[in-house]
Amino acid sequence: MGRLLEVKGLKTQFFTQDGVVHAVNGISYTLDEGETLGIVGESGCGKSVGVMSLLRLIPQPPGKIVAGQALFDGKDLLAISEDEIRQVRGNRIAMIFQDPMTSLNPVLTIGSQIGEALQLHLGMTKEQARKRSIELMELVGIPLAADRIDDYPHQFSGGMRQRVMIAMGLSCNPQLLIADEPTTALDVTIQAQIVELVKRLKEEIGMAIIWITHDLGVVAGMAERVAVMYAGFIIEMADVKSLYGDPRHPYTLGLLRSIPRLDMGRKSKLTPIDGMPPDLLTPPQSCPFAPRCSFVIDKCWKENPPLDAVGRGHVAACWVDVTKGAS
């Protein structure tokens, strides 16, 4: 497998009336062809801004990508022209968003919305696009697709609308599918169906996936590698087994402890992470997690730790070895 995407030192900021919001603070990661990477973190940690920066979907102003590179198949997505990035968007890199109702146009039929990319990127005629749209709707498990292609978004349930979004994303056989919390607005059973659907489609089509979520449970059965974000930084990254079996950052530890476990019975209590999410208006000089951390030592208040190797393919940004307590 070859390298598909390499993100180096990506920084994105928002220039607001209150000051500069440091949304993404120099993140770097790689993605191979056909690989699934999970990006996990709480709301406001920069995970969505990080991937929307890759496709240059950040509203400018107030947003600005201030540094970094995103090499996709050897081309820097942050440096190519507006026309070139349009050719990549929806064609070679597709994105599914959190709420399908706000991503679909309420006054256009489902068929015309799926078919638009096919006509634009693949040069199909209206009839060809219609036929392919029905096939795509069937592929993502929408029943009676031929009868429903002329329906409007409001005639579909939330889960079916998300399937439509996935069909749109897959329409041009992308090399990379970015899913930004696509199951958040859905109930748990539908969530599981969507996750299974994406896993099946990945095997059939062989695309790479970046799956963004605040739910470590969803990522466990889906991704090969996981990056944990906090305050605009990647603070830990490892393969799924290492991250869940041997977490090395106090924040990752906190996230894992706050997931309900079926094997512990009702006696086990969930452990919340104390404190408030960080204020991104002030760039941290110290470790951004220090105010909420139970392992904190003096050094944490003076210096932000770099990402260091703690195992094979496992990096964490922490001054403390959490397996031993303060070092």
Side-chain angles (χ1 to χ4, degrees), residues 51-313:
V51 288
M52 287 173 80
S53 301
L54 302 183
L55 289 174
R56 309 234 294 263
L57 291 171
I58 298 293
Q60 301 187 17
K64 192 180 180 196
I65 299 162
V66 294
Q69 280 184 311
L71 301 173
F72 178 73
D73 253 8
K75 273 188 176 175
D76 185 0
L77 297 173
L78 308 183
I80 57 179
S81 70
E82 203 53 56
D83 282 344
E84 283 179 289
I85 194 78
R86 266 196 213 107
Q87 286 305 311
V88 171
R89 254 189 237 136
N91 184 12
R92 298 179 64 204
I93 302 179
M95 191 156 179
I96 320 168
F97 293 96
Q98 191 165 0
D99 181 9
M101 203 55 203
T102 53
S103 310
L104 291 166
N105 189 325
V107 298
L108 294 178
T109 64
I110 294 296
S112 64
Q113 294 189 62
I114 299 175
E116 185 182 15
L118 296 166
Q119 290 171 271
L120 181 72
H121 291 302
L122 303 183
M124 288 186 178
T125 64
K126 220 170 184 173
E127 283 69 39
Q128 288 171 323
R130 184 181 172 86
K131 187 167 174 262
R132 179 68 181 136
S133 296
I134 293 172
E135 287 171 6
L136 284 160
M137 285 170 74
E138 286 169 346
L139 180 73
V140 298
I142 294 174
L144 307 171
D147 298 334
R148 303 216 60 186
I149 190 164
D150 295 320
D151 284 354
Y152 290 87
H154 73 269
Q155 292 170 279
F156 284 73
S157 67
M160 285 298 157
R161 283 197 289 264
Q162 198 54 279
R163 286 172 189 265
V164 169
M165 288 299 300
I166 293 168
M168 287 169 73
L170 298 178
S171 58
C172 298
N173 289 330
Q175 291 164 282
L176 171 57
L177 180 70
I178 298 173
D180 185 6
E181 303 221 27
T183 58
T184 301
L186 308 174
D187 64 56
V188 179
T189 45
I190 308 293
Q191 268 189 28
Q193 288 173 17
I194 296 293
V195 169
E196 283 307 311
L197 170 67
V198 173
K199 276 162 74 174
R200 194 193 84 225
L201 293 170
K202 184 198 166 195
E203 280 162 27
E204 287 174 20
I205 298 163
M207 60 198 167
I209 296 174
I210 295 177
W211 189 283
I212 298 162
T213 181
H214 58 264
D215 187 344
L216 274 167
V218 170
V219 168
M222 182 148 205
E224 282 110 14
R225 277 191 311 133
V226 183
V228 180
M229 280 190 75
Y230 188 81
F233 295 92
I234 288 177
I235 52 148
E236 184 162 13
M237 189 158 44
D239 63 84
V240 166
K241 254 190 175 154
S242 303
L243 192 95
Y244 285 73
D246 185 23
R248 291 305 191 91
H249 194 284
Y251 178 62
T252 314
L253 214 57
L255 286 180
L256 288 166
R257 283 177 181 161
S258 61
I259 300 174
R261 284 182 56 167
L262 296 176
D263 59 348
M264 300 291 276
R266 292 191 174 186
K267 290 189 178 72
S268 69
K269 287 189 175 177
L270 298 181
T271 314
I273 300 172
D274 291 332
M276 296 291 287
D279 173 16
L280 298 177
L281 284 168
T282 47
Q285 303 304 315
S286 59
C287 169
F289 190 60
R292 303 172 73 184
C293 183
S294 55
F295 294 87
V296 69
I297 55 173
D298 282 354
K299 192 172 185 180
C300 306
W301 297 106
K302 296 179 184 132
E303 218 178 319
N304 194 354
L307 268 179
D308 272 338
V310 290
R312 192 176 168 201

Side-chain angles (χ1 to χ4, degrees), residues 15-21 281:
F15 296 83
T16 69
Q17 287 175 329
D18 297 331
V20 180
V21 177
L281 284 168

